Amino acid sequence: QSVLTQPPSASGTSGQRVTISCSGSSSNIGIYTVNWYHQLPGTAPKLLMYANNRRPSGVPDRFSASKSGTSASLAISGLQSEDEADYYCSTWDDSLNGMVFGGGTKLTVL
Amino acid sequence: QVQLQESGSGLVKPSQTLSLTCAVSGGSISSGGYSWGWIRQPPGKGLEWIGYTYHSGTSFYNPSLKSRVIISLVRPKNQVSLNLSSVTAADTAVYYCVRGADWYRFDSWGQGILAMVSS
């Protein structure tokens, strides 16, 4: 059972907009910024979004993220086949005094 | 751009110690502002933070692993080491070396190394 809750799966067709949610609590998302990672099949995870809504250099603006209260979400617009991957949210948790991850969401592009 | 490369024992017997090394290139582990640590991923499962350490010596570990984990910086070799003792089959996973930056983000990842615990 992960500290951060994500839907196990999500899907969309090419060109669509999809969102992935990440639910936490007052000891993590409620007080810390959220980061997102994506993991293409057979590869290492890679930083996708950080500090709630900032994109690292090289990440297309099709990707966006937001945070409200104890929840966060990742949005992907103009869905492409290469977006098919696992997506993870992460932040610090004061109760555990450590980093926590969501269980991951497998995105399928239909 | 910093690059991380894991190496070490791919097969460990139960109750023994798993030892991994991460070679860092393109940046110094002694530079301020970054943490150096490990994250693992059991086969077919999600990510689990193991811990990280700063060049100052301050370390943070996953409470569920804290009693068995040591993460160290090997400065002369610009490497990060992981020692996980008393391993069981539940410790079988791909282990990733990571660099931590501001905003609690992990901005660089190694390619990962599979470590299996089996007799």
Side-chain angles (χ1 to χ4, degrees):
Chain A
Q1 191 81 4
S2 301
V3 173
L4 305 180
T5 301
Q6 297 181 235
S9 64
S11 63
T13 57
S14 291
Q16 268 191 332
R17 181 178 186 271
V18 297
T19 60
I20 297 171
S21 62
C22 175
S23 177
S25 68
S26 58
S27 65
N28 44 64
I29 293 179
I31 52 177
Y32 292 103
T33 57
V34 178
N35 303 313
W36 291 89
Y37 302 87
H38 68 159
Q39 184 177 30
L40 300 173
T43 68
K46 186 177 178 181
L47 181 66
L48 184 64
M49 302 289 295
Y50 70 99
N52 296 334
N53 55 16
R54 301 186 185 189
R55 279 187 301 275
S57 174
V59 174
D61 59 7
R62 299 188 298 107
F63 294 90
S64 62
S66 62
K67 187 189 98 168
S68 178
T70 59
S71 294
S73 65
L74 173 71
I76 309 172
S77 60
L79 200 60
Q80 300 178 5
S81 58
E82 54 260 41
D83 298 331
E84 198 161 272
D86 293 324
Y87 292 80
Y88 296 91
C89 57
S90 176
T91 188
W92 181 267
D93 186 286
D94 266 358
S95 296
L96 297 175
N97 199 33
M99 294 295 300
V100 291
F101 284 93
T105 298
K106 184 176 185 62
L107 175 64
T108 301
V109 180
L110 303 171
Chain B
Q1 175 133 356
V2 68
Q3 292 189 320
L4 311 175
Q5 178 67 58
E6 303 91 343
S7 63
S9 50
L11 181 62
V12 185
K13 288 180 167 49
S15 80
Q16 293 190 341
T17 295
L18 169 68
S19 296
L20 298 177
T21 298
C22 172
V24 179
S25 59
S28 171
I29 61 173
S30 297
S31 59
Y34 297 107
S35 65
W36 304 91
W38 296 85
I39 290 168
R40 70 181 183 179
Q41 184 173 35
K45 296 188 177 181
L47 302 173
E48 180 181 31
W49 175 71
I50 298 172
Y52 54 63
T53 189
Y54 291 88
H55 74 97
S56 64
T58 301
S59 299
F60 294 89
Y61 296 120
N62 186 321
S64 68
L65 300 171
K66 188 174 184 177
S67 63
R68 301 192 291 128
V69 174
I70 297 176
I71 296 175
S72 304
L73 300 181
V74 186
R75 287 183 176 78
K77 295 185 177 182
N78 211 38
Q79 293 177 343
V80 186
S81 70
L82 168 69
N83 282 281
L84 179 66
S85 62
S86 305
V87 296
T88 70
D91 295 309
T92 293
V94 174
Y95 286 75
Y96 295 102
C97 177
V98 293
R99 185 180 79 169
D102 54 0
W103 304 105
Y104 295 102
R105 59 179 163 149
F106 299 112
D107 66 348
S108 294
W109 295 64
Q111 66 183 25
I113 183 170
L114 175 62
M116 293 186 60
V117 178
S118 174
S119 55

